[in-house]
Amino acid sequence: MPIETIFGNLQGLKPSQLKQLRRLYHQRIPGDRITTPEFAQRLAAVSTEINKPVCAYLNRRGQVIRVGVGTPRQTQIPLMELPRYGAERLSGIRCIATQLKSEANSDSALTSMALQRLDALVVLNVTASGFKKRGGAASGYVKEAYLAHLTPQDSRILTAAQGGKNITPSNYSAPSWSISPPMSLDMLSKQDFMDLVEGLEEEFRREYTALDVDSDHERVLIVGIMTGELSPQEFQDTLAEIAQLVDTAGGDVVQMLQQKRSRVHPQTVVGEGKVQEIALSAQTLGANLVVFDRDLSPAQVRNLEAQIGVRVVDRTEVILDIFAQRAQSGAGKLQVELAQLEYMLPRLTGRGQAMSRLGGGIGTRGPGETKLETERRAIQRRITRLQKEVNQLHAHRERLRQRRQNQGVPTVAIVGYTNAGKSTLLNALTNAEVYAADQLFATLDPTTRRLIIPHAVTGERQEILLTDTVGFIHELPASLVDAFRATLEEVTEADALVHLVDLSHPAWLNQVRSVREILRQMPVTPGPAIVVFNKIDEADSQTLAIAREEFPMAVFISADKRLGLENLRQRLGQLINYAVSSR
Ligand SMILES: Nc1nc2c(ncn2[C@@H]2O[C@H](COP(=O)(O)OP(=O)(O)OP(=O)(O)O)[C@@H](O)[C@H]2O)c(=O)[nH]1
Ligand SMILES: [Mg+2]
């Protein structure tokens, strides 16, 4: 791009006028001044001459870095091209704009200032002075000037936006700004500009430090779109879940925005106004990642990133990122990499550049991350190789299962929504030492342990094998299902299933449905299952009553408090008896 490009709408401008505009780039203002009267007058003159508003953007050294024809909104610097310093700083760029009709400061100019985190916005009200000389330039003078700048957010709003899981969807926190009374050019030029921006930045920093922000964590803004298919309660549940996913992935949720739409906008998912609101919120709160509650097409991601100016990822990427962080074993890493690559392959076009521009974090980590920029074909080759390895893993697990089956030991797999308490239950029943934690997807690799239960008929001790495995989630990403097929086969190959449900979770009933849906879609029909309600120590009596009525055959336990485990053993005996006899 030539250095003296004029931005905005240049239609109908004469070469001589363009030349005048380009000359603005040669102007230089003393570093500690907002503007000089001479510079302001010059802008006013050009603006009157072309009869259009003109904007000049200056850096802190007083150099003109951008000249545009149009309003601040029309000449705005694309967000992708702006430096991003986060909520505690300003962009180091100010805009001096002329305004030909003496209307009030329009909101759109102020919004542009907030979007770009400009140091300041100066609006010059220009009045054409009387007559136009024949053949000569019309002159105009600055009637009055306004100085606007951002002010720190009310810390209470920011604090409310802080705090991960407890966050509730809210209206976006509007940026706050202040506008000076009308000033003369002399007054404006005498202001110490450096004093102003340094003072402001100090306040921003103070507000920001008061928030106790962990700089290792990404600051995440979540966007939920409510389309027809979910009830308001179900929608809130999915929002809470995506917030928990972000939290698990290591991000701090700073805000949740939502929009109701009859259908998703094909280019940007949400409408234009909402995109702007997201961009503003991200700027105001210093968010560096926007997470959508649904899957996005590559084009949607590109459009959104261009308009919001921070990285945009979808729900699947967050889940894949958690898996990537969790994967410990070779098998786990292998499957996660495969899932990430399969997800990314169709999304590669043009993403690489934007990704490196916007930095790392959620959605970019994991065994697959360095492969991102390599060529599609190389990735395809890698996928083929990983698939081969997954097949080997599959064959290996198959042999293990075969051996167990030959020994005639019945197998039971614990399935359920993530965080239901599956690993805790395996530990409680078998003294295994599987990692159990209040995290989503704490377990990726299956663990199998022996368990002694009473025989349903004879009452004698019998041995079974109990397997704990990866948890399920609503709309489990397809690439994960595919990549984890070797692991999921532990489920389909088991003689019977324990479907464990966290009864203390508000969305427990939908979680039951989601798990059943995933089981239904498995290539091999799994064996018979019993529903086991866990965490009854934390479930309220009304929920317990509903569950008893809806699921009369279910077992009620607390794996953590070791309640109801003896009954569960008995019921496992009956289940195995039924499963083996109908095998
Ligand atoms: N109150 C209560 N908490 C429980 C109970 N059982 C498990 N938990 C807790 O629930 C959380 C999740 O337990 P995990 O055993 O890791 O759950 P999981 O189903 O294996 O989860 P993933 O492997 O992440 O899918 C942990 O914080 C447990 O301490 C219970 O009976 N009562
Ligand atoms: Mg687990």
Side-chain angles (χ1 to χ4, degrees):
M1 198 182 299
I3 304 170
E4 294 182 359
T5 308
I6 308 298
F7 296 85
N9 182 5
L10 309 184
Q11 226 174 5
L13 293 189
K14 297 190 204 118
S16 67
Q17 295 172 331
L18 283 171
K19 201 165 154 195
Q20 278 189 56
L21 285 163
R22 274 199 294 273
R23 277 213 203 106
L24 289 171
Y25 278 109
H26 302 183
Q27 299 285 311
R28 183 119 188 215
I29 276 125
D32 57 350
R33 301 291 113 184
I34 297 179
T35 180
T36 58
E38 296 72 40
F39 184 74
Q41 291 297 3
R42 215 182 162 113
L43 267 186
V46 184
S47 189
T48 321
E49 153 85 23
I50 64 175
N51 197 27
K52 282 178 183 164
V54 172
C55 292
Y57 293 81
L58 282 75
N59 65 17
R60 289 205 188 155
R61 280 179 294 176
Q63 294 166 314
V64 178
I65 56 159
R66 184 183 179 90
V67 174
V69 176
T71 62
R73 182 89 185 104
Q74 291 160 339
T75 60
Q76 180 178 308
I77 305 173
L79 297 184
M80 301 282 278
E81 289 169 24
L82 277 170
R84 290 199 57 89
Y85 303 124
E88 73 265 58
R89 283 178 63 185
L90 294 165
S91 68
I93 298 165
R94 62 186 180 277
C95 172
I96 302 178
T98 62
Q99 189 170 268
L100 293 176
K101 292 172 211 78
S102 57
E103 57 210 11
N105 284 317
S106 70
D107 261 4
S108 94
L110 291 166
T111 303
S112 283
M113 169 175 75
L115 271 175
Q116 299 166 90
R117 262 192 109 61
L118 294 178
D119 288 349
L121 169 69
V122 173
V123 177
L124 307 171
N125 263 344
V126 177
T127 306
S129 64
F131 54 92
K132 187 173 167 168
K133 280 176 279 168
R134 192 186 297 261
S139 57
Y141 70 96
V142 177
K143 214 173 98 202
E144 58 201 6
Y146 296 88
L147 171 64
H149 60 75
L150 293 171
T151 55
Q153 275 278 317
D154 185 336
S155 60
R156 280 163 308 171
I157 300 176
L158 283 177
T159 318
Q162 206 66 21
K165 282 182 234 173
N166 303 327
I167 207 161
T168 46
S170 60
N171 289 325
Y172 85 112
S173 44
S176 36
W177 46 58
S178 90
I179 307 166
S180 73
M183 285 190 266
S184 70
L185 272 188
D186 261 0
M187 258 170 81
L188 179 68
S189 310
K190 284 199 183 101
Q191 292 237 353
D192 191 320
F193 178 60
M194 277 308 153
D195 254 18
L196 173 73
V197 287
E198 279 166 11
L200 279 176
E201 289 196 325
E202 204 176 300
E203 277 182 70
F204 283 124
R205 252 192 311 276
R206 209 174 314 128
E207 290 275 319
Y208 198 72
T209 354
L211 289 176
D212 195 19
V213 174
D214 190 333
S215 56
D216 290 349
H217 290 192
E218 274 169 293
R219 294 172 61 77
V220 183
L221 195 156
I222 291 176
V223 183
I225 302 102
M226 185 177 174
T227 41
E229 70 263 25
L230 297 182
S231 74
Q233 184 54 53
E234 286 171 331
F235 175 60
Q236 294 310 324
D237 289 343
T238 62
L239 275 188
E241 183 170 272
I242 187 96
Q244 206 188 349
L245 284 166
V246 167
D247 185 61
T248 304
D252 283 338
V253 180
V254 295
Q255 177 134 61
M256 280 165 111
L257 293 173
Q258 43 184 312
Q259 187 174 43
K260 216 171 172 173
R261 289 187 70 86
S262 53
R263 66 186 199 97
V264 157
H265 190 289
Q267 269 88 48
T268 51
V269 190
V270 289
E272 197 187 323
K274 203 69 180 180
V275 174
Q276 168 120 5
E277 198 179 302
I278 296 167
L280 263 179
S281 247
Q283 277 289 17
T284 311
L285 297 168
N288 47 16
L289 180 70
V290 174
V291 172
F292 276 75
D293 71 343
R294 60 190 54 222
D295 284 350
L296 304 171
S297 75
Q300 287 168 341
V301 170
R302 262 200 311 283
N303 295 336
L304 287 165
E305 284 183 345
Q307 290 179 46
I308 298 173
V310 303
R311 217 155 51 82
V312 172
V313 299
D314 61 21
R315 180 176 179 271
T316 293
E317 281 175 277
V318 177
I319 295 175
L320 286 172
D321 190 86
I322 296 172
F323 271 67
Q325 293 185 55
R326 289 275 187 273
Q328 296 287 330
S329 69
K333 286 184 182 150
L334 168 70
Q335 294 175 101
V336 172
E337 181 175 358
L338 179 57
Q340 284 189 318
L341 293 182
E342 284 185 343
Y343 180 77
M344 274 157 194
L345 188 61
R347 290 174 168 75
L348 268 180
T349 38
R351 186 76 200 276
Q353 209 192 343
M355 289 276 270
S356 50
R357 159 74 181 72
L358 298 169
I362 294 176
T364 65
R365 279 178 292 241
E369 70 164 300
T370 52
K371 314 299 182 302
L372 269 181
E373 254 115 55
T374 54
E375 273 175 69
R376 173 182 298 272
R377 231 181 306 160
I379 292 181
Q380 186 56 64
R381 270 201 301 275
R382 177 105 187 124
I383 288 181
T384 312
R385 230 186 68 208
L386 291 172
Q387 268 166 344
K388 217 178 269 169
E389 285 179 46
V390 167
N391 286 341
Q392 283 163 6
L393 179 70
H394 175 204
H396 173 69
R397 294 236 174 103
E398 175 94 51
R399 278 195 298 277
L400 288 181
R401 270 197 305 272
Q402 201 62 52
R403 203 181 311 158
R404 282 184 231 142
Q405 247 168 28
N406 291 344
Q407 291 166 350
V409 186
T411 55
V412 173
I414 308 172
V415 297
Y417 215 79
T418 180
N419 210 41
K422 300 177 295 296
S423 302
T424 309
L425 178 61
L426 183 80
N427 290 342
L429 288 173
T430 71
N431 295 323
E433 283 170 11
V434 176
Y435 176 65
D438 191 10
Q439 290 170 331
L440 303 183
F441 304 111
T443 309
L444 289 196
D445 297 316
T447 303
T448 300
R449 289 285 180 276
R450 282 163 203 290
L451 173 67
I452 306 294
I453 57 168
H455 193 280
V457 184
T458 65
E460 279 168 34
R461 287 159 57 91
Q462 69 166 332
E463 190 180 277
I464 66 161
L465 291 171
L466 190 62
T467 300
D468 165 41
T469 185
V470 60
F472 296 168
I473 194 164
H474 169 65
E475 284 175 6
L476 194 62
S479 72
L480 272 179
V481 176
D482 182 54
F484 276 76
R485 59 188 185 274
T487 298
L488 291 174
E489 252 166 47
E490 299 291 335
V491 171
T492 50
E493 293 297 315
D495 292 303
L497 302 182
V498 164
H499 176 175
L500 196 66
V501 182
D502 174 357
L503 197 58
S504 72
H505 198 288
W508 65 272
L509 193 53
N510 276 322
Q511 297 186 340
V512 171
R513 292 195 191 117
S514 298
V515 169
R516 287 186 165 168
E517 185 56 33
I518 292 163
L519 290 174
R520 236 195 315 276
Q521 284 169 3
M522 287 197 171
V524 181
T525 313
I530 47 166
V531 173
V532 177
F533 287 110
N534 189 28
K535 308 195 191 179
I536 55 165
D537 54 307
E538 294 216 321
D540 60 62
S541 52
Q542 201 190 347
T543 310
L544 276 165
I546 295 172
R548 282 218 171 81
E549 196 176 315
E550 299 269 323
F551 298 85
M553 302 301 286
V555 182
F556 291 79
I557 65 162
S558 165
D560 191 51
K561 306 282 181 300
R562 293 174 170 267
L563 300 172
L565 296 188
E566 213 32 63
N567 181 35
L568 177 60
R569 274 179 225 268
Q570 302 275 351
R571 294 291 302 277
L572 279 176
Q574 292 165 11
L575 179 70
I576 283 298
N577 194 43
Y578 169 75
V580 173
S581 61
S582 58
R583 189 154 62 185

